[in-house]
Amino acid sequence: MEENKENVEYEDTQYEQTDMKEENEENFEEEDITEVDENEESELDKVKKKALYLVDKYQKIVVEFDNFRNRTAKEKAGMYDDAVKDIIEKFLPVLDNFERAVDTASDKEDSFYKGVEMILKQFKDIMISLNVEEIEAYGVDFDPNVHNAVMHGEDDKFGENKVSEVLQKGYKYKDKVIRPSMVKVVN
């Protein structure tokens, strides 16, 4: 009997230990879950913040690259325009000489004259195809942006501050003046 009593006591103690163990495990699990939930939330918040930061950074890089692409396209166009302007500027004296040759020719039926005239026409067609325009000067108001006044005079045919004579033609490429017109202005 004593043995039974000891067994019962042992079993009771074992049940008590098991109950306590289960209670501790439940408390431990609840604490773990709470800690895990808090850790997961804080880690989730960190990941969300990092994702937002990276998306923002990506968007800024895309905008910056787009601006770079636009800027380089403008620079390329500007370099092209400057190159065309420089080349045309070098050809203008040749054009002037062809015009003088046609203006001073005495025999308009001569084949040499006709050849020079054809070259001049071809030269002017090329200038037009490159968007090079002659600056209008004769009889218009003097504009210091496109005209270079080298002489002043009096003339009753023209109003005040009008261009009465063109000494050298001026040209512009798009909106840029390649060479201003050299003119005589009436005061």
Side-chain angles (χ1 to χ4, degrees):
M1 222 135 151
E2 230 174 85
E3 222 174 90
N4 267 347
K5 196 175 181 183
E6 279 180 23
N7 273 345
V8 169
E9 278 180 27
Y10 177 74
E11 284 178 16
D12 283 344
T13 312
Q14 208 172 14
Y15 284 124
E16 281 177 21
Q17 286 178 352
T18 305
D19 285 344
M20 285 178 76
K21 194 175 185 182
E22 284 176 7
E23 231 176 82
N24 284 339
E25 283 179 7
E26 283 177 20
N27 287 341
F28 182 71
E29 283 178 16
E30 284 177 20
E31 287 175 12
D32 266 357
I33 291 172
T34 308
E35 283 181 28
V36 167
D37 285 346
E38 288 174 9
N39 286 339
E40 282 180 13
E41 284 179 27
S42 64
E43 284 183 38
L44 185 62
D45 287 342
K46 287 178 185 177
V47 169
K48 283 181 181 179
K49 285 179 184 177
K50 188 168 185 172
L52 289 173
Y53 169 77
L54 291 174
V55 166
D56 185 51
K57 190 172 182 178
Y58 169 76
Q59 289 172 338
K60 286 178 182 177
I61 289 171
V62 167
V63 168
E64 192 173 314
F65 180 72
D66 192 41
N67 290 341
F68 168 75
R69 188 175 54 230
N70 292 338
R71 186 174 54 250
T72 55
K74 284 180 186 177
E75 287 174 1
K76 275 185 186 178
M79 288 184 343
Y80 175 78
D81 289 348
D82 290 343
V84 168
K85 182 180 174 259
D86 290 345
I87 290 169
I88 290 170
E89 194 171 22
K90 298 215 186 303
F91 278 109
L92 289 179
V94 177
L95 180 62
D96 292 338
N97 288 333
F98 275 117
E99 287 177 340
R100 283 188 204 105
V102 168
D103 290 344
T104 59
S106 57
D107 186 10
K108 306 280 186 197
E109 297 302 317
D110 185 28
S111 62
F112 183 73
Y113 170 81
K114 288 184 180 183
V116 171
E117 192 176 44
M118 286 182 356
I119 292 171
L120 177 60
K121 183 187 178 320
Q122 187 178 22
F123 206 108
K124 285 184 176 183
D125 289 343
I126 290 170
M127 298 290 263
I128 289 169
S129 72
L130 292 173
N131 294 323
V132 176
E133 300 172 8
E134 188 178 314
I135 295 172
E136 188 180 348
Y138 185 75
V140 299
D141 287 337
F142 174 74
D143 181 0
N145 296 317
V146 293
H147 301 129
N148 182 16
V150 293
M151 295 175 69
H152 294 278
E154 299 288 328
D155 196 341
D156 294 334
K157 286 193 317 188
F158 297 98
E160 192 173 317
N161 210 23
K162 295 278 187 183
V163 174
S164 64
E165 190 177 343
V166 178
L167 304 170
Q168 185 181 42
K169 291 181 180 179
Y171 293 91
K172 63 182 178 178
Y173 171 68
K174 295 185 179 177
D175 289 332
K176 293 181 180 180
V177 174
I178 298 171
R179 178 178 77 186
S181 299
M182 251 196 264
V183 297
K184 178 180 179 181
V185 179
V186 179
N187 289 335

